[in-house]
Amino acid sequence: MPTEAKRETIETLRAELDASRTMIVSEYRGLKVKEITEIRRALRKQNVSYRVVKNRLMRIAAQDSPAADALSPLLAGPSAIAFGNDEAATAKAVLDATRPYAKIVKITGGVLGSRAIDADGVTRLATLPSREVLLAEVLGAITAPLSTTAGLFDAPLRDVAGLVDALIAKRDGAAA
């Protein structure tokens, strides 16, 4: 029979799962409490929460969640989970916050919505530009051909205007 504290922990974890779209799972074996606190503080500035979880309680909390199947294989050994909403920003924040402890902290994977990604996927996700930059690049890729096409349609008119100006200049030169 679970204790009241465990029930509260499960409810807190369920609330975190419902409130976040991205979870980055890491193994923290070897970190001191002070170091975990530093990681939490750095992540909190990026709107990411970092929780050390008991795997069994996390599995129970995730049972009704769409992420349950993706999250369960990642929960092995002492686990800490970073909860966030922006996929790329969360991955980047976790990698930046754990960089000083890279020899100790091991990223085991992540969950994006209901899809699991491995540790390499988390690293690649962290290197993506922000959403705004990606949208600007897509917009630039769409508008570049349009401006080139507009320039091509405008060129014959410019050429005709140049020819008319040259003819006028030639007539003025011949009349003088």
Side-chain angles (χ1 to χ4, degrees):
M1 188 76 185
T3 64
E4 188 61 34
K6 288 182 182 177
R7 282 191 204 104
E8 288 176 15
T9 301
I10 290 170
E11 288 306 314
T12 304
L13 290 172
R14 277 191 185 132
E16 287 272 6
L17 280 168
D18 292 340
S20 62
R21 293 187 327 209
T22 306
M23 292 168 276
I24 307 296
V25 182
S26 60
E27 187 177 306
Y28 67 93
R29 185 177 297 156
L31 282 180
K32 298 180 174 105
V33 173
K34 178 183 173 190
E35 295 166 338
I36 292 174
T37 304
E38 289 173 8
I39 292 171
R40 279 189 182 126
R41 191 173 297 129
L43 289 174
R44 198 173 303 125
K45 292 177 186 174
Q46 303 294 324
N47 294 325
V48 177
S49 64
Y50 190 72
R51 294 184 56 98
V52 172
V53 297
K54 289 192 175 205
N55 295 338
R56 184 172 167 274
L57 296 180
M58 189 65 206
R59 282 189 186 101
I60 292 170
Q63 279 177 349
D64 299 332
S65 169
D69 294 334
L71 187 60
S72 284
L74 299 173
L75 298 173
S79 300
I81 301 178
F83 296 93
N85 283 317
D86 185 0
E87 293 88 357
T90 301
K92 182 172 177 16
V94 169
L95 289 179
D96 288 346
T98 59
R99 185 167 286 127
Y101 315 106
K103 293 183 179 179
I104 301 170
V105 176
K106 178 187 169 206
I107 304 293
T108 56
V111 178
L112 308 175
S114 61
R115 187 172 156 244
I117 59 172
D118 60 358
D120 291 333
V122 172
T123 305
R124 285 193 309 269
L125 184 63
T127 60
L128 282 177
S130 68
R131 183 175 191 270
E132 291 78 19
V133 171
L134 286 174
L135 288 174
E137 288 176 359
V138 167
L139 186 61
I142 291 171
T143 59
L146 294 176
S147 63
T148 303
T149 304
L152 289 173
F153 285 127
D154 187 40
L157 293 175
R158 257 193 332 257
D159 293 345
V160 169
L163 286 174
V164 170
D165 287 341
L167 283 173
I168 291 172
K170 185 177 181 182
R171 283 190 184 163
D172 288 343

